[in-house]
Each structure stands twice: as structure tokens, then as C-alpha cells.
Amino acid sequence: MSAVRLAQFDHEPEPPAGRVELSIVMPCLNEAETLGGCIKKARAFLDLHGIAGEVIVADNGSTDGSQQIANALGARIVAIPVRGYGAALAGGIEAARGEYVAMGDADDSYDFGSLLPFVERLRGGADLVMGNRFRGGIAPGAMPLLHRVLGNPVLSLLGRAFFGTPVGDFHCGLRAFRRDRALALGLTSPGMEFASEMVVKASIAGLIIAEVPTTLVPDGRSRPPHLRTWRDGWRHLRFLLLYAPRFLFFYPGLALLLTGVVATAVLATGDVTAGGVAFGVHTMIFATMSALIGAQMVGLAVLARLFGIRTGMWPESAGMRRVRGWFTVERGCIGGALSLFAGLAGGVAATMLWAQAGFGPLAPGELMRLTIPSMLLGCLGVQIAATSFFAGLLDQPQGIRPAG
């Protein structure tokens, strides 16, 4: 069950008359120390700029009086039983009445009075507007050094490389977006990786993404933050990799495959000496291992892309459409069979050489130059055929379900 479906509306102030332009959503789990200040700043921003809006507190099970504070200050309270930053935000976004939604942490580290540039970019046609703390300014003590010099910059760099996203701060907690666009993305991550999921899926969907500078100051809490550096950092990285099979599987796999095949072919003709180091049949074994691992990774990349298309994780690209048109089950089986038979032929040739020697001792090095490439060809043949059948399975049209 999704966090959104489990949302419960504990406190429902009268809805604003007419159109609601902006909903300001704050995820909350025991934020009594800072929640009141955040709500006051958000409401003051709406009043100052004459924006028809509302403040929503997506409460994740607070036990410190946060709900009472929100109630007293006129905020809408949405109870989210499923724990997690992403679950709370998903419920708050679903409950929002505004055309636009701005989200920000309730720990007083972001300035809710500085949302006007976000709203202006949305009014100008942007679908998602990200804050950038590195451009706007990070106050001393506001962000741990590890996050500032390694975590955020590296993960943001990977996000830009993987998805071509013009975002310099993937994990800024202050952002705004069109509510209908966000709901259409089908965001499901319950934890901190929700921040990455929104940007990644928006990029894949081709939404218009803008960025504005924003500031970050030390939060006002006396307790440690909910964020856990290594656990949540890994969850962000894992999400980025899952949605980038080219970088996770294809590019590394292709490099291993080509290196292994070329090295195996060269060493099959004899030892190679480079820099005073001799490379022979033992090196060929590892070259073959490289080629096999690479072939498996390339196959996984194709299957992952097909699975993603099948499940709606991303649209079909023109390149993938050409691959699907060319890499049929029949062609895969033909190519795999040719490779397998070539490998078997090499095995037969090696057996004949052994028979000529009366099945007695042979020079292992010379025999391995034939048997190792033969083994590689045989394994690649089976791998190609199996991958083509699996790809064909993923490409099968979905059956028509009976009515009723």
C-alpha cells in the first residue's frame, strides 16, 4: 500500500475560497522546536505576496506536540502512518489543493519567506524548480563537511551525468513544482531517496526543470537530524544506478567484453611481451573471464531497459527501438548457435590433437590456446541465445483481461 493511500486528514481547516495557487508542504516527525516558526514564515510569505495558499503539515507520527502546534497556527494536518521522509511528502502532495506545491523541511534550516523566485519560475512555465544551496550559500555548521565536499557534489554529478539533468544540488530539500506533474510521475520511494526520485523521473519524463539559489542555515533542533549519512547516501546512489542501466551494466560490460575478446584473440596466437613482462595462457584465462562477465552485463543492460519500458519506468528511446527491431529471438538464436558451434568445433579440434598424441601427455600451454577461446565462444553462444529468449519474453504483448 502506498503512503498516499494511507494518509489520514486529522485537521481540516475550511478550504480557502476560490483557486489555491500554492500549497506549502512540510514533512514532520517530532519537530515541535521549529515547526511553529516555519509555519509562521510560510503564512507570512503568502500574506506578503498576496498568494492564495495553504500550509500543510504531513505528520509522520509525532509525539512531541507538533500536531497541536500546527493546529493552533491554522495549518492543515495530514497524518501519514507509513514512516519515512518520502512517504510523508507523498501524502502531503496528494492532499494539497494548490496548483503548485512547495516542499521544505520543518527544521527551520530553509527560509520559507524566500519562495517567490520558485513561484515566479513556475508561473513562467517551469514544471520543477530546484533550490541550489551551493549557489545561494551554506552557513557555517549548516551542512556536515562530508555532505558538502563529497556526498552532495558526487551524487549530483552522477545525476547530471546519468540523466542529463541541469541540477547542481540534487538533494536540496526546498523545491517547488506543479502538483499535477509530480503526481503523474508516480513517486513511490518512502525514504530520503524520494528527493532523487523526483528529479530523476522528472528528467526522464522531459519536464522543464529550473534552478534558483537558496540558502541553508543550521537547523533549530536540539536533537540529531533524521538523516543518516551512509545509509541514506547509499539509498540515493542505489536509486540513481537502478534508473541508469547504461552506466550500471552496459558501459562497464562493453569495456570488459571488448578488452577480454581482444586479449584472448591476441594471446591465442602466442605469448606477448610488454615492458619486460610476458603475458601467456594464464593471462588468457582472466581475459576470458573479463569477456564473459562483460557479455553478461551487456545482456543485463538490454534486459533492464526492456523491463523498464515494460513497467513504465522510462519511455522507449529511438536507440532502444532499433535494438528491439533488430535483436529478435530468431537472430539471437542464430548468432548464439554459430558461436556455440564454433566453440564446439574448437573442442573437437582439441580432442583430435589429443587423439593424435595417443591421448597421452600434451603441452598444456599450446592446447589451452585452442581450448580457452573455444570455451569462450561456447559460453557466449549460450548467453546470446538465452538473452534473446528473455528479451522476447519481456517483449510479449500483454494479454487482454476479461471484463468483470
Side-chain angles (χ1 to χ4, degrees):
M1 300 178 69
S2 71
V4 172
R5 292 174 182 169
L6 289 174
Q8 301 170 2
F9 304 93
D10 282 359
H11 176 61
E12 284 285 327
E14 288 297 320
R19 167 178 172 263
V20 178
E21 183 178 21
L22 179 66
S23 297
I24 302 175
V25 176
M26 304 177 189
C28 176
L29 176 59
N30 295 326
E31 304 288 6
E33 292 181 291
T34 55
L35 179 62
C38 292
I39 295 174
K40 291 177 183 177
K41 291 177 183 178
R43 295 186 67 85
F45 164 78
L46 295 173
D47 293 339
L48 176 63
H49 297 284
I51 297 175
E54 62 179 352
V55 179
I56 297 175
V57 174
D59 189 74
N60 223 186
S62 298
T63 57
D64 66 345
S66 294
Q67 296 164 341
Q68 289 77 12
I69 293 171
N71 187 18
L73 293 174
R76 291 180 62 200
I77 304 171
V78 181
I80 312 295
V82 177
R83 285 293 180 93
Y85 173 80
L89 284 170
I93 295 167
E94 174 69 17
R97 301 186 182 111
E99 178 183 356
Y100 308 138
V101 175
M103 56 176 257
D105 299 341
D107 60 4
D108 207 22
S109 60
Y110 292 108
D111 182 10
F112 287 98
S114 63
L115 288 174
L116 188 59
F118 292 84
V119 176
E120 289 176 339
R121 298 302 290 272
L122 290 173
R123 289 170 175 170
D127 298 310
L128 169 63
V129 184
M130 297 289 300
N132 188 321
R133 297 164 293 181
F134 297 98
R135 288 173 53 196
I138 302 173
M143 182 185 293
L145 183 63
L146 184 63
H147 297 186
R148 186 169 183 171
V149 303
L150 181 64
N152 278 307
V154 170
L155 289 174
S156 297
L157 176 63
L158 291 176
R160 291 193 298 274
F162 290 175
F163 307 103
T165 305
V167 173
D169 186 2
F170 248 62
H171 307 110
C172 183
L174 191 65
R175 57 184 73 178
F177 42 86
R178 296 177 182 271
R179 178 177 176 271
D180 58 346
R181 300 287 198 275
L183 292 177
L185 295 177
L187 306 175
T188 59
S189 298
M192 292 291 183
E193 67 274 22
F194 182 89
S196 292
E197 181 186 15
M198 178 180 289
V199 183
V200 168
K201 288 189 173 180
S203 301
I204 293 173
L207 300 188
I208 301 173
I209 302 175
E211 192 174 54
V212 298
T214 192
T215 58
L216 183 72
V217 299
D219 64 60
R221 299 175 297 197
S222 59
R223 60 166 176 78
H226 298 302
L227 179 69
R228 296 293 179 266
T229 296
W230 297 107
R231 180 199 65 184
D232 292 319
W234 161 245
R235 292 176 71 165
H236 281 289
L237 177 59
R238 180 183 65 182
F239 184 88
L240 294 177
L241 291 172
L242 286 174
Y243 271 77
R246 287 183 301 165
F247 292 88
L248 180 60
F249 296 125
F250 184 75
Y251 294 141
L254 185 62
L256 287 171
L257 175 60
L258 293 178
T259 300
V261 168
V262 170
T264 300
V266 170
L267 292 173
T269 63
D271 292 352
V272 174
T273 302
V277 179
F279 298 94
V281 291
H282 298 91
T283 305
M284 190 190 297
I285 294 174
F286 289 97
T288 302
M289 181 179 71
S290 170
L292 291 175
I293 293 174
Q296 291 174 355
M297 293 180 70
V298 169
L300 280 173
V302 173
L303 298 177
R305 289 290 297 178
L306 289 174
F307 176 80
I309 294 168
R310 178 82 173 194
T311 57
M313 293 173 65
W314 45 65
E316 184 178 21
S317 65
M320 196 63 210
R321 195 176 300 114
R322 287 193 294 270
V323 171
R324 291 177 69 181
W326 184 86
F327 189 61
T328 63
V329 174
E330 291 76 16
R331 286 176 175 165
C333 286
I334 292 172
L338 292 174
S339 182
L340 176 60
F341 289 148
L344 293 175
V348 171
T351 304
M352 294 176 63
L353 290 175
W354 189 26
Q356 291 175 3
F359 297 105
L362 289 173
E366 296 306 316
L367 189 62
M368 289 172 68
R369 295 191 194 282
L370 178 59
T371 55
I372 291 177
S374 300
M375 179 271 293
L376 174 60
L377 288 170
C379 292
L380 288 178
V382 174
Q383 179 73 26
I384 293 169
T387 300
S388 66
F389 268 106
F390 205 144
L393 177 63
L394 292 176
D395 246 353
Q396 286 297 303
Q398 297 185 11
I400 300 176
R401 296 181 179 179

